[in-house]
Amino acid sequence: MLTSEQILAWLRCDDPAALEDLWQLADTVRHCCVGDAVHLRGLVEISNTCVRQCAYCGLRAGHTQLQRYRMSADEILDCAALATRLGYGTVVLQAGEDPLLSPADIADIVRGIKSTTPLAVTLSLGEQEDENLSLWKSAGADRYLLRFETSDTELYQTIHPPYRNRTGDRFSRLRKLRQLGYEVGSGVMAGIPGQTCQSLARDIEVFAELDLDMIGIGPFIPHPATPLGDPALVASLHARAGADQAPASELMVYKMVALTRIMCPQANLPSTTALATINKTNGRELGLQRGANVVMPNLTPVKYRAMYEIYPAKACIGESAEDCSGCLRSRIARIGRKVGQGQGGRKKQA
């Protein structure tokens, strides 16, 4: 395990030779603690409607030019069946906070997936009330993803305005998910305007304190139709952080993934789509070689994908699910790794 000072020093390190030691250590920890398998989680973006006004997200309610969609239950179940045919172990149902996705309908969809496939079901549907989370767990949902994005309270409040005068508390939601028996996932963006390296170091410590089962880390990618697409706001937030502003760079994401693997050796860590977006050539591969052990191929029907625009120019928008699967399997094989079998849940070690 690393001290706070060591984590911060690595985050500020730009020496390629020194960083090679970090990559090797993270890869060794990954090999020893979770093995060489790369688990495939099929992503289904079931709705791009959201009531929230998050300052970085292209799905925000204030983005009035975005064409909205909501998948039917049959479409979602067809995607889950496709995930099974493609050999995935998990399906991830993701959406904005859409009030017309009724809790009962989501529960029925979860039951349908669990009764007709061998898949684990992961939900990523934003901040939800206790009764909804309990209902979905009872229906058979296995995992829940809720990224806290930053542990810096002031910055979080800047980028996450309250909804209906109710300030969100994602840490209480994460604790509730644990109490309900979910495998719990969270994560952060690296390089949010106003975010310091010190703040990112604290995020890694929070991952370990929460004993998260899944941790996703991606770069901040500005969307022009959001407040954080405004250069004036970005400049003011950068001034807040000063010289310690964390860069929204590919390198910073690799450092965060590697350090998280060392601090959370048993967690499942994806090499994210956002990472592949800023390095389409080999971003996913480098993430896998620096601590990650999961990738998330997209199962969303192509006709909807461009509308799920959390950030622009997302990787693999036009690829069919079959092409995406074949591409990822080839990339995994080229780095000497193998595709994982089964649901690929976290295996806690004594």
Side-chain angles (χ1 to χ4, degrees), residues 44 71-85 113 117 299 301:
V44 188
M71 290 176 61
S72 69
D74 285 343
E75 287 177 312
I76 297 167
L77 292 170
D78 285 347
C79 288
L82 178 57
T84 303
R85 293 197 298 275
I113 294 170
T117 78
L299 291 168

Side-chain angles (χ1 to χ4, degrees), residues 11 51 66 107 109 149 283 285 314 318 330:
L11 291 175
V51 297
L66 180 65
I109 290 166
E149 303 299 8
E285 291 93 321
K314 189 164 62 172
S330 295

Side-chain angles (χ1 to χ4, degrees), residues 18-349:
L19 288 170
E20 283 299 325
D21 292 338
L22 178 64
W23 311 147
Q24 183 59 53
L25 176 58
D27 200 46
T28 298
V29 173
R30 185 272 308 156
H31 171 76
C32 292
C33 294
V34 297
D36 292 331
V38 177
H39 294 283
L40 305 181
R41 322 287 207 209
L43 176 64
V44 188
E45 297 152 331
I46 66 176
S47 170
N48 72 345
T49 298
C50 190
V51 297
R52 303 299 293 267
Q53 295 282 12
C54 301
Y56 58 88
C57 182
L59 305 189
R60 67 193 308 268
H63 187 186
T64 57
Q65 301 306 306
L66 180 65
Q67 182 180 354
R68 305 289 177 168
Y69 73 88
R70 186 177 300 110
M71 290 176 61
S72 69
D74 285 343
E75 287 177 312
I76 297 167
L77 292 170
D78 285 347
C79 288
L82 178 57
T84 303
R85 293 197 298 275
L86 292 173
Y88 301 164
T90 299
V91 66
V92 182
L93 308 185
Q94 185 178 74
E97 291 186 24
D98 182 351
L100 295 185
L101 284 176
S102 84
D105 288 346
I106 294 295
D108 285 343
I109 290 166
V110 172
R111 292 188 193 99
I113 294 170
K114 297 300 287 188
S115 66
T116 58
T117 78
L119 299 169
V121 175
T122 300
L123 301 178
S124 181
L125 304 176
E127 297 175 39
Q128 295 284 340
E129 301 293 339
D130 290 2
E131 55 266 31
N132 296 343
L133 299 174
S134 181
L135 173 65
W136 299 335
K137 189 70 181 72
S138 297
D142 302 281
R143 306 168 187 153
Y144 201 98
L145 300 176
L146 181 65
R147 291 160 63 108
F148 62 80
E149 303 299 8
T150 175
S151 58
D152 180 330
T153 301
E154 182 180 351
L155 180 59
Y156 181 84
Q157 291 172 349
T158 299
I159 66 174
H160 282 270
Y163 176 60
R164 293 182 175 174
N165 297 318
R166 188 184 73 227
T167 301
D169 180 0
R170 295 197 170 190
F171 292 110
S172 73
R173 296 297 78 208
L174 292 169
R175 288 190 291 271
K176 185 62 180 180
L177 289 164
R178 178 72 72 203
Q179 291 171 5
L180 289 170
Y182 285 94
E183 281 193 36
V184 181
S186 194
V188 299
M189 292 182 291
I192 304 167
Q195 182 183 53
T196 63
C197 291
Q198 182 84 49
S199 174
L200 283 176
R202 178 59 188 150
D203 290 342
I204 293 172
E205 293 179 322
V206 170
F207 295 156
E209 290 167 8
L210 292 172
D211 192 26
L212 293 169
D213 303 302
M214 304 166 284
I215 304 166
I217 301 162
F220 166 73
I221 302 175
H223 191 297
T226 67
L228 287 183
D230 177 359
L233 176 58
V234 169
S236 69
L237 289 169
H238 279 174
R240 169 188 182 269
D244 201 35
Q245 168 68 48
S249 66
E250 182 182 353
L251 179 61
M252 181 57 78
V253 175
Y254 296 142
K255 289 189 281 189
M256 286 289 292
V257 170
L259 291 165
T260 298
R261 170 58 67 201
I262 294 164
M263 294 294 288
C264 306
Q266 299 170 15
N268 283 314
L269 307 184
S271 190
T272 60
T273 302
L275 183 54
T277 297
I278 62 173
N279 178 353
K280 292 181 171 64
T281 302
N282 63 345
R284 278 197 179 99
E285 291 93 321
L286 289 173
L288 289 170
Q289 291 171 315
R290 295 170 179 179
N293 69 317
V294 169
V295 293
M296 296 178 68
N298 202 324
L299 291 168
T300 308
V302 172
K303 66 180 179 180
Y304 297 130
R305 284 196 206 166
M307 291 182 275
Y308 202 84
E309 194 184 61
I310 294 176
Y311 50 82
K314 189 164 62 172
C316 307
I317 285 179
E319 289 186 2
S320 71
E322 291 83 357
D323 286 346
C324 186
S325 176
C327 175
L328 286 176
R329 289 174 183 275
S330 295
R331 288 172 180 263
I332 290 165
R334 281 201 297 269
I335 62 171
R337 302 274 284 280
K338 60 185 180 181
V339 173
Q341 302 298 309
Q343 295 183 350
R346 176 182 174 186
K347 293 179 173 62
K348 292 190 178 183
Q349 301 169 3

